[in-house]
Amino acid sequence: AFHMMAKALMMMVVAVAGLQYISAAQGAGPCFTDPKSADCANPSTFYPDDAVNMDLGMLCNMMTYMPGCAVKKACTDKEMDGVFCKPWSMLSSICSTSHGEMMSGMKGCEKYKQLCITGTKVVGCETQIPKLITTKEVTADTYAACVAQSTLAACKTCVIAAADSIGGGCAAPLPVLSAACKAKPTSTYCVNLKRTCSADTTPKVSLCPSNLATSGAQPQQTSRSYLVSFSVVVAVAVALFV
């Protein structure tokens, strides 16, 4: 009888351990309701990298156009490495709203939103690339870039119908914008990418053209500006000869 009780107790211990493992692998536990607890500092016990990567896959398999997913691809392709290629950082680049991104309502960001509230103790929250260009910005900027540089090879496979057409017709706008800004780094549509690539802690990768950080992107002069300038020149010339 004693051996049977011991065996039953052992089976219960194994079952509990198994449930705890499954809970951690799936991303569950008390820290999702109270992440302000000091016991929640280490997310590997309740939201490990495997679970984070599952959510990243859910997000980026369907929405490749997000800048955070372009970062993920660059990490996967070994074009960049380091702290911004860690699963938590890549998830922050997509799900955090502190840098202006507005994608936190997606299913893959659900756990991040639960854990990364004000006052959270979870290490990993807000570890995204600083000043990362947002999905809205990269869509509008790539649209403007391809209107201005319609012959650019990268624009042939990236057809965005309008500046606010997020996710439509272009699977990966950030690399296209990068190519356009490499060609014409002082264009207005490069300002947001320059902000990202000029951040001190941002790794220099293929998505950041080497000539962008020092280019000083400025608004392009419009035809009206040229007309005003020409009128001033004419006025000065007339005044000199009268």
Side-chain angles (χ1 to χ4, degrees):
F2 174 78
H3 291 295
M4 291 180 65
M5 289 177 61
K7 185 176 180 180
L9 181 61
M10 181 63 69
M11 290 177 66
M12 289 177 60
V13 170
V14 171
V16 170
L19 288 172
Q20 288 177 336
Y21 175 80
I22 292 172
S23 176
Q26 292 179 342
C31 288
F32 285 90
T33 54
D34 182 23
K36 297 180 182 180
S37 169
D39 294 335
C40 298
N42 181 5
S44 66
T45 60
F46 53 86
Y47 191 33
D49 285 354
D50 286 348
V52 175
N53 281 324
M54 285 180 63
D55 284 338
L56 279 170
M58 183 193 308
L59 291 163
C60 293
N61 287 341
M62 297 183 64
M63 288 158 283
T64 59
Y65 52 83
M66 294 185 293
C69 292
V71 172
K72 180 179 182 295
K73 186 176 187 305
C75 293
T76 301
D77 294 345
K78 308 300 182 183
E79 293 176 358
M80 63 179 283
D81 56 18
V83 294
F84 297 122
C85 283
K86 291 184 177 180
W88 261 93
S89 177
M90 291 189 289
L91 191 65
S92 292
S93 288
I94 297 171
C95 299
S96 172
T97 59
S98 64
H99 61 293
E101 187 59 275
M102 300 298 290
M103 293 293 179
S104 62
M106 295 180 295
K107 179 69 174 177
C109 292
E110 190 174 88
K111 297 182 183 70
Y112 184 91
K113 281 177 63 179
Q114 291 174 328
L115 295 171
C116 297
I117 62 174
T118 302
T120 183
K121 293 295 190 295
V122 180
V123 175
C125 294
E126 300 299 328
T127 54
Q128 69 275 7
I129 292 179
K131 302 178 183 179
L132 181 66
I133 189 171
T134 67
T135 301
K136 183 177 180 180
E137 289 171 338
V138 77
T139 301
D141 291 345
T142 305
Y143 171 76
C146 287
V147 168
Q149 300 187 53
S150 58
T151 59
L152 189 71
C155 290
K156 300 299 182 182
T157 57
C158 180
V159 182
I160 300 176
D164 59 353
S165 182
I166 294 176
C170 189
L174 185 52
V176 177
L177 180 62
S178 178
C181 292
K182 183 176 182 179
K184 295 185 178 181
T186 59
S187 302
T188 53
Y189 47 74
C190 298
V191 171
N192 292 317
L193 182 59
K194 182 185 177 185
R195 179 196 72 220
T196 297
C197 296
S198 298
D200 293 340
T201 52
T202 301
K204 304 304 177 186
V205 296
S206 60
L207 297 176
C208 286
S210 58
N211 61 337
L212 189 61
T214 57
S215 65
Q218 298 293 335
Q220 294 175 311
Q221 198 169 22
T222 63
S223 57
R224 180 173 179 175
S225 299
Y226 284 118
L227 181 60
V228 171
S229 299
F230 178 74
S231 299
V232 171
V233 170
V234 170
V236 171
V238 170
L240 290 173
F241 287 100
V242 170

